Amino acid sequence: MCIRDRLETDVLVIGGGLAGCLAAIKAREKGVKVILTDKAYAGKSGGGAFCGGHIAVFNPEWGHDYEAWKEYIVGIGEYLNDRDWVELIVKDSYRIYKDLVSWGIPFMEKEEKVESLHYLGSKKYTNQAIMVRREFMPPIRNKAEESGAQIIDRIMITDLIRKDGRVVGAVGFD
């Protein structure tokens, strides 16, 4: 890309980790044009790629307690989380997990996860949602590409352009 390149999109996703790729996929499902940028390589960056792919999935059919899971998420966020967002995350986690499974994202079998037990209150739960380390991001990137999102790697977004209090553009370099 050249300094004069100007791209137009309905949705710009900055960051190609797990959350960025999921955002791009979900926006494309709504039929809008999406550009996803990453300062490195989308699908090999972001916190998920380094933390081993742990996602906290709330599912009452697995014996999970809703209030305990909310407090678990708040706790791992060092009590700085927005409580409304925590509720959304907990409520949506199983749907997102099912999406990931349907896309072929590999998850560990229950027997492989002895270390993935979490204590929530006085109850002990098997998380049942540990993605296979280093194997889950490439399929998520592929899914984002298949959805029609345009992925631009190695672009550092340095500024957001605002007009009348709204973000209307971004500036970046490769």
Side-chain angles (χ1 to χ4, degrees):
M1 294 210 324
C2 173
I3 196 166
R4 291 179 229 113
D5 286 347
R6 182 183 190 126
L7 304 172
E8 292 194 23
T9 189
D10 298 316
V11 175
L12 173 65
V13 178
I14 302 170
L18 178 60
C21 287
L22 284 172
I25 293 164
K26 292 302 179 179
R28 282 296 301 142
E29 287 177 359
K30 300 291 184 189
V32 297
K33 183 177 179 186
V34 176
I35 295 176
L36 182 150
T37 65
D38 193 274
K39 68 182 177 290
Y41 181 83
K44 289 194 174 183
S45 63
F50 296 104
C51 75
H54 169 263
I55 61 171
V57 175
F58 166 73
N59 183 359
E61 293 177 16
W62 295 342
H64 295 166
D65 175 78
Y66 179 71
E67 292 301 321
W69 273 91
K70 282 193 326 187
E71 287 308 309
Y72 170 68
I73 298 298
V74 168
I76 62 175
E78 298 183 2
Y79 302 93
L80 299 173
N81 316 64
D82 179 303
R83 299 297 171 106
D84 293 334
W85 279 103
V86 169
E87 285 196 27
L88 290 171
I89 290 166
V90 172
K91 288 177 181 174
D92 278 353
S93 64
Y94 186 65
R95 181 186 51 78
I96 292 167
Y97 167 76
K98 290 192 318 187
D99 282 345
L100 294 170
V101 169
S102 75
W103 300 338
I105 306 304
F107 284 82
M108 292 181 184
E109 294 298 322
K110 196 171 183 177
E111 297 78 38
E112 297 178 75
K113 301 185 292 150
V114 176
E115 78 286 351
S116 70
L117 294 176
H118 294 285
Y119 291 87
L120 300 173
S122 61
K123 297 181 180 179
K124 186 171 159 182
Y125 298 107
T126 301
N127 185 293
Q128 300 190 26
I130 305 294
M131 290 180 270
V132 176
R133 187 177 294 263
R134 305 202 197 295
E135 294 180 25
F136 69 92
M137 286 304 297
I140 292 173
R141 179 193 170 101
N142 292 343
K143 182 66 178 176
E145 289 175 327
E146 288 171 12
S147 77
Q150 179 182 356
I151 298 177
I152 306 173
D153 295 308
R154 295 173 184 81
I155 295 292
M156 175 68 78
I157 301 297
T158 58
D159 201 9
L160 298 177
I161 302 167
R162 293 177 176 88
K163 181 178 179 183
D164 299 326
R166 294 183 59 223
V167 174
V168 296
V171 177
F173 62 92
D174 62 6

